[in-house]
Structures are given as structure tokens and as C-alpha cells.
Amino acid sequence: QKYAYMYVGDLAKIIGKIVEFDISSGVYNISSSTAISLLELTNKILEIIKPVESQINFGAIPYRVNQSMHIQGITLKLESELGEKIDELDFNDSLSKVVNYKLNKH
């Protein structure tokens, strides 16, 4: 399973640009330009939190019927309207911010 996760700060910047620019009415995809597997995401989180012991049983639960295996939007229409490529923070930096926020809030 691969999903195009986007940091909320990047989403907010894009929404701000949409409001600021005079773009044509329509439906636009807002998506990260990079999809990451759930396995890779989980391992990156484990690298950040460094648990004393962890055992994750990947694949222990079967996929549900019609499970989406790749979710990622094509942003070319939005980028064309904005006149620029969607700029994102580094995924690892964004993930660290989110994980550390959650660790410090709970």
C-alpha cells in the first residue's frame, strides 16, 4: 500500500495560494508528489521514536475487499493554474515534526 501523505503545513500553504491567485473554477487535486508505502512509513516512525521493543506483524490482517493500494493525486492542473510546482517540505522532516508533536502532547 502506497499513499501520498502531505504535511498539514504544506496543505495550508497550497490553500493560501489558491485563495491568493485568481484560478479557474473547477476540481483540483492536492496531493504530495511522492507516495510512500505503509511499511516504509511505519519503519520511519519506529526510527524516530526508538521504542525499547516493538513487533509489528505486517500482513497479519488481510486486505479488505477493494482496498486501495495506491492513493496519489496528479497535481498538474493545479500547478498549471498557480504557475509553479507545488513545493513541499522534506518528508522526513515533516514526519519528525508530527511524531514529536504527538509524543510531547500525550
Side-chain angles (χ1 to χ4, degrees):
Q1 294 166 286
K2 286 188 165 190
Y3 299 124
Y5 296 98
M6 178 175 270
Y7 180 61
V8 69
D10 292 333
L11 175 63
K13 283 192 290 187
I14 293 168
I15 298 294
K17 287 180 181 182
I18 290 170
V19 170
E20 180 184 330
F21 285 74
D22 184 23
I23 67 172
S24 302
S25 179
V27 177
Y28 295 89
N29 288 326
I30 299 175
S31 174
S32 174
S33 59
T34 306
I36 184 172
S37 73
L38 292 179
L39 173 65
E40 188 177 352
L41 175 65
T42 304
N43 286 330
K44 286 179 179 288
I45 292 170
L46 290 174
E47 287 175 19
I48 296 168
I49 63 175
K50 297 176 179 54
V52 176
E53 184 178 323
S54 70
Q55 181 179 353
I56 299 176
N57 296 321
F58 293 104
I61 299 172
Y63 295 119
R64 63 180 194 265
V65 176
N66 298 320
Q67 172 69 46
S68 297
M69 298 305 284
H70 190 141
I71 300 176
Q72 181 177 15
I74 297 172
T75 59
L76 295 175
K77 180 179 174 186
L78 179 59
E79 290 172 349
S80 175
E81 286 286 325
L82 295 176
E84 60 187 50
K85 184 163 175 35
I86 293 175
D87 186 32
E88 298 177 70
L89 295 175
D90 177 74
F91 181 82
N92 292 327
D93 291 342
S94 298
L95 182 61
S96 291
K97 285 181 184 181
V98 171
V99 171
N100 287 318
Y101 173 81
K102 294 303 283 181
L103 289 172
N104 292 323
K105 291 296 274 186
H106 299 286

